[in-house]
Each structure stands twice: as C-alpha cells, then as structure tokens.
C-alpha cells in the first residue's frame, strides 16, 4: 500500500468517527447552557392569608434542568423551581440548587421562609435551659416581631391544654413546668416522647397569617440515660439550619455530607432532668 493510500484511509476513518460522535444522540452533541443561578427576586418570603396556595416563581426565564431544595421541608417544583410557600415548613433557610440539562455544574441560592423554630438539642432542667425560646427567621437572638403587639402563640391551646407550657405572648416553652404538668406522667420514664402542634400568628409581613410548627419533646432522667437514637437524631440534623443568607452553615456542621437527606422538622427537644 502506498503512503498516499494509507493517508487517505486514515482521513476517511477520522471523519467517520467524528460523524458518529455527533449523531450518537440523534442530533448533534449537547452544548451546556450558559451559567444560570436561580433568582426569586427576593430572599425572604412570608406566609400569606389567601384562599389558594402562595407560589413563588423564579424571576428570570426558565432554563431546562432540575431544581432541588435542602434541607427537606420545602415544596419545590423540580422542573420550574416554583416554591409552594403555603405547603413548606416555615422558619428555615433553604438552599435551592439547580443543574441545567447537559451540564454537571450546580448553581444555587438561599431563600428564607419566615417563621419560628426551636433548636434541636439537650436541655437540662437544672440550668437556664429550662426555658426554651423560639428562633425567628433562622437566626438565634432575633427578636420576634409583635410581642405584646399582635403576635399570638398557641392559638387554640393545642399545647397548653395538653400540658406543654407555652407563653402565649412570646412563644417560649417552659420545659420545667411542662414536666411538672405531668406531660410525661406522674413518674416520668426515660425516652418518653410527645408531639404538639404549636399554632401561631406573627405581626410581621405575613399579616398574622396562621402558621403551625410541630414540636417534639423527649424526656430523660440524666445524660447517662440518653439513647443512641437521640444522638443519631441530633447528628442527622447537623447542617440543616443555615446561619447566614449566603448559605453558610454552623461551624460544627461544615463536614456534613450535604447530599444526604436531612429532616429538620419537627424540632426535637430532649429534656434532661439532671
């Protein structure tokens, strides 16, 4: 075979390979779209009093891809990114991630669904932990708006009537009084647990829309009696409470695998008697 014939064969084979690679997907190679970051026009959303669900959509044209929210609790359309605020858990920051079709890159933003929450943890009755204060808008120390000026907690007395002592003006839970109210019986047993619905209205931009937070209380006599299940619950929730609007998480949670499922609700309060 001559050198010219060999070169010709090589050129033909190269063209065939390129042609196959372009047509393997039935219409040319996929070109990933330009960088796209979800944008909802705002970063804080309040529950609304309306007959239909309150839906928040992205402020820019929709790009084909997949949306997801972290942690669990936010109702988001995986195709459009639309957030159903009415059906989401309030009082938490959520990281909204987006992966465009034809791309492996992830872009994200953080939104806050306004409301109250309580931090999971161990609360000893022999310390100041006996009074559990609500966290407003995901930041400890935030003042709850409308205290003694329109905000109401435990509307309908779903907590107080069952023994869970909630301050109807501030939303604080008196854990010591709750135990004295025999929520866990006259002789509390280790690992006993009860769940309550805390209905509340806050005099903020929500217009005092009715909101509900489920709260779960556990009882243990001492830290030596705490079960592995309790520690596992605390560990599984690390990284689910965002500290900053940028999406930064607490320092103790930075090593958490953000790809795993995270269920921050209901807040789990572990009462330790001594």
């Amino acid at each position: 075979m001559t050198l010219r014939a060999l070169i010709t064969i090589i050129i033909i084979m190269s063209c065939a390979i390129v042609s196959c690679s372009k047509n393997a997907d039935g219409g040319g190679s996929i070109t990933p779209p330009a960088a796209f970051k979800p944008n909802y026009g705002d970063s804080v959303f309040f529950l609304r009093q309306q007959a239909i669900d309150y839906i928040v959509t992205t402020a820019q044209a929709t790009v084909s891809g997949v949306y997801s929210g972290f942690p669990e609790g936010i109702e988001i359309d995986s195709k459009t990114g639309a957030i159903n605020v009415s059906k989401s858990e309030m009082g938490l920051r959520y990281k909204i991630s987006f992966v465009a079709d034809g791309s492996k890159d992830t872009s994200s933003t953080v939104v806050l669904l306004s409301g109250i929450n309580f931090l999971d943890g161990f609360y000893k009755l022999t310390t100041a932990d006996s009074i559990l204060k609500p966290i407003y808008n995901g930041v400890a120390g935030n003042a709850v708006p409308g205290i003694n000026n329109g905000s109401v907690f435990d509307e309908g007395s779903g907590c107080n009537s069952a023994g869970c002592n909630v301050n109807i003006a501030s939303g604080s839970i008196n854990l010591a009084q709750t135990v004295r109210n025999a929520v866990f019986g006259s002789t509390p047993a280790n690992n006993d647990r009860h769940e309550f619905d805390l209905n509340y209205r806050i005099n903020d931009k929500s217009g005092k829309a009715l909101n509900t937070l489920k709260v779960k209380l556990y009882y243990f006599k001492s830290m030596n009696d705490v079960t592995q299940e309790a520690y596992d619950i605390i560990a599984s929730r690390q990284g689910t409470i965002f500290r900053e609007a940028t999406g930064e998480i607490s320092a103790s949670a930075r090593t958490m695998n953000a790809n795993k499922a995270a269920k921050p609700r209901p807040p789990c309060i572990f009462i330790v008697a001594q």
Side-chain angles (χ1 to χ4, degrees), residues 44-50 52-54 56 84-91 112-115 137 200-202 204-212:
V44 183
F45 299 98
F46 296 80
L47 198 63
R48 292 182 178 179
Q49 297 190 84
Q50 55 188 53
I52 60 176
D53 288 349
Y54 173 33
V56 174
N84 189 327
V85 177
S86 301
K87 292 183 178 178
S88 297
E89 296 283 0
M90 307 299 289
L112 167 66
L113 302 189
S114 181
N137 283 2
Y200 66 94
R201 299 178 188 269
I202 296 182
D204 57 10
K205 291 182 180 180
S206 69
K208 295 192 285 187
L210 181 62
N211 211 329
T212 300

Side-chain angles (χ1 to χ4, degrees), residues 7 15 28 35 49 64 82 92 96 98 124 133 145 154 156 161 167-168 174 179 190 199 226 252 256 264 269:
I7 293 175
C15 290
Q49 297 190 84
S64 181
L92 295 172
I96 309 301
F98 174 77
K124 294 185 177 181
K133 296 181 179 180
D154 197 28
S161 63
N167 186 310
I168 62 175
N174 188 322
V179 173
N190 281 320
N199 296 319
V226 174
S252 63
M256 192 208 74
I269 312 305

Side-chain angles (χ1 to χ4, degrees), residues 43-198:
S43 59
V44 183
F45 299 98
F46 296 80
L47 198 63
R48 292 182 178 179
Q49 297 190 84
Q50 55 188 53
I52 60 176
D53 288 349
Y54 173 33
I55 308 293
V56 174
T57 59
T58 55
Q60 72 271 60
T62 302
V63 172
S64 181
V66 178
Y67 292 83
S68 61
F70 176 89
E72 288 187 10
I74 189 167
E75 189 76 19
I76 183 169
D77 189 304
S78 62
K79 294 183 178 179
T80 67
I83 298 171
N84 189 327
V85 177
S86 301
K87 292 183 178 178
S88 297
E89 296 283 0
M90 307 299 289
L92 295 172
R93 292 189 188 277
Y94 294 95
K95 186 174 184 179
I96 309 301
S97 299
F98 174 77
V99 179
D101 287 346
S103 174
K104 295 182 179 179
D105 296 329
T106 301
S107 59
S108 62
T109 191
V110 173
V111 298
L112 167 66
L113 302 189
S114 181
I116 65 167
N117 189 29
F118 294 100
L119 284 182
D120 307 293
F122 300 104
Y123 294 84
K124 294 185 177 181
L125 299 186
T126 54
T127 69
D129 286 346
S130 61
I131 303 296
L132 181 62
K133 296 181 179 180
I135 294 175
Y136 178 69
N137 283 2
V139 178
N142 268 355
V144 179
I147 298 298
N148 297 316
N149 186 29
S151 291
V152 177
F153 297 89
D154 197 28
E155 181 172 307
S157 195
C159 294
N160 280 294
S161 63
C164 180
N165 186 272
V166 175
N167 186 310
I168 62 175
S170 68
S172 296
I173 301 176
N174 188 322
L175 299 177
Q177 185 60 50
T178 296
V179 173
R180 288 193 291 268
N181 288 344
V183 165
F184 302 99
S186 57
T187 305
N190 281 320
N191 206 22
D192 191 9
R193 62 195 71 181
H194 296 273
E195 189 169 287
F196 305 89
D197 285 337
L198 174 57

